[in-house]
């Protein structure tokens, strides 16, 4: 079974802090994604990566950056956390474009 | 820009009855995915539809894709309580494309 592991289940940070959300997958998947999920808004794509060191902006990249130095790890960085970034963050990976996404358990981030 | 719409956002279903929910998308897409999310849990893949006319079935759920109409349907046969969850569809174009999700439809099955 594919395992997508997000480093924290819950995280509380202060406004202005730099925040790192880590995601690791164990199935040698090419593609990795970061979404945020908010009530009434569904899942919105922040960034995705289809290969090591490659990254593409999603629909809401402002305020975020990503890093993919190794195939199995995709990190989401909040350069200066703000309260409107309080959300559930979901990482996902897939083998290729014909395969479904496998999601991690999510990180619930609260910025105070 | 690809937009994905699901409606209604909430559906109350009676046990034993059949229902269909819809997923519309705004521009050409050659692949459509359905996911299920239980409260407090992450998303679980249900179906991957990769071509026009594709139909997939699993238990009481059947999904289909009409790329000409830009529409996917998820048909529920004889609803049971275990099907209560939020169902998302997602569309994309091309092998390395982003996936755009709809807002999800929350299904509640009542006795």
């Amino acid at each position: 079974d594919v395992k997508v592991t997000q480093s924290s289940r819950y995280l509380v940070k202060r406004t202005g802090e730099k925040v790192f959300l880590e995601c690791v997958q164990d199935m040698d998947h090419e593609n990795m994604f970061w979404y945020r999920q908010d009530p009434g808004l569904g899942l919105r794509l922040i960034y995705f990566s289809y290969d090591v060191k490659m990254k593409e902006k999603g629909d809401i990249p402002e305020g975020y950056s990503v890093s993919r130095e190794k195939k199995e790890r995709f990190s989401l960085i909040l350069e200066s956390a703000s309260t409107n970034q309080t959300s559930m963050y979901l990482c996902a990976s897939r083998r290729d474009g014909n395969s479904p996404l496998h999601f991690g358990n999510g990180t619930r981030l609260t910025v105070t | 820009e690809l937009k994905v719409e699901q409606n209604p956002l909430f559906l109350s279903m009676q046990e034993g009855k059949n229902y269909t929910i819809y997923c519309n998308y705004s521009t050409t897409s050659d692949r459509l995915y359905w996911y299920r999310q239980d409260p407090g849990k992450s998303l679980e893949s249900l179906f991957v539809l990769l071509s026009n006319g594709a139909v997939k079935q699993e238990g009481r759920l059947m999904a289909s894709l009409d790329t000409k109409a830009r529409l996917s349907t998820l048909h529920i046969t004889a609803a049971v309580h275990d099907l209560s969850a939020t169902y998302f569809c997602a569309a994309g174009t091309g092998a390395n494309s982003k996936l755009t999700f709809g807002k999800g439809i929350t299904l509640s099955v009542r006795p």
Side-chain angles (χ1 to χ4, degrees):
Chain A
D1 257 4
V2 176
K3 194 154 176 156
V4 179
T5 303
Q6 295 185 230
S7 53
S8 305
R9 189 82 175 95
Y10 298 94
L11 212 51
V12 179
K13 295 291 180 183
R14 293 195 180 275
T15 302
E17 277 193 81
K18 191 167 185 175
V19 181
F20 293 87
L21 302 183
E22 305 286 348
C23 175
V24 176
Q25 49 94 2
D26 66 356
M27 283 301 290
D28 203 36
H29 282 178
E30 299 287 335
N31 302 167
M32 296 188 75
F33 299 75
W34 274 107
Y35 288 89
R36 63 178 281 178
Q37 183 175 20
D38 300 287
L41 297 178
L43 277 76
R44 293 179 291 165
L45 181 64
I46 305 170
Y47 269 95
F48 67 108
S49 166
Y50 55 86
D51 202 352
V52 178
K53 296 193 189 289
M54 305 299 290
K55 59 185 179 186
E56 296 280 345
K57 291 181 180 178
D59 298 314
I60 52 163
E62 297 78 20
Y64 303 94
S65 63
V66 289
S67 170
R68 193 162 179 209
E69 295 297 317
K70 293 185 178 181
K71 194 173 188 180
E72 67 270 19
R73 187 181 295 270
F74 193 35
S75 303
L76 180 69
I77 303 151
L78 287 65
E79 296 290 342
S80 177
S82 64
T83 54
N84 63 14
Q85 292 177 311
T86 291
S87 185
M88 171 67 84
Y89 289 86
L90 293 169
C91 174
S93 73
R94 66 179 180 186
R95 185 178 65 242
D96 55 41
N98 295 329
S99 307
L101 293 181
H102 297 268
F103 282 86
N105 286 331
T107 295
R108 184 164 293 283
L109 173 67
T110 302
V111 182
T112 62
Chain B
E1 182 190 338
L2 177 60
K3 291 190 188 307
V4 179
E5 284 191 9
Q6 296 182 252
N7 56 74
L9 293 183
F10 180 84
L11 183 61
S12 179
M13 305 188 293
Q14 192 169 351
E15 229 168 31
K17 291 202 168 176
N18 301 335
Y19 295 88
T20 300
I21 60 177
Y22 301 93
C23 174
N24 297 273
Y25 50 93
S26 60
T27 65
T28 303
S29 172
D30 62 357
R31 56 202 68 208
L32 196 292
Y33 306 79
W34 283 96
Y35 292 86
R36 170 185 170 137
Q37 185 178 39
D38 292 297
K41 300 285 178 79
S42 195
L43 280 79
E44 171 193 351
S45 175
L46 292 174
F47 300 110
V48 179
L49 304 168
L50 296 175
S51 60
N52 185 41
V55 177
K56 296 260 181 95
Q57 181 157 10
E58 179 78 32
R60 298 175 187 275
L61 301 178
M62 184 173 72
S64 64
L65 178 62
D66 182 346
T67 58
K68 291 184 171 56
R70 298 178 184 167
L71 172 70
S72 180
T73 59
L74 183 65
H75 186 74
I76 299 153
T77 302
V80 293
H81 180 72
D82 282 353
L83 292 178
S84 298
T86 299
Y87 293 81
F88 291 92
C89 64
T93 304
N96 287 324
S97 68
K98 64 181 186 178
L99 283 191
T100 299
F101 278 76
K103 291 184 179 179
I105 297 177
T106 298
L107 304 184
S108 176
V109 182
R110 64 185 190 279

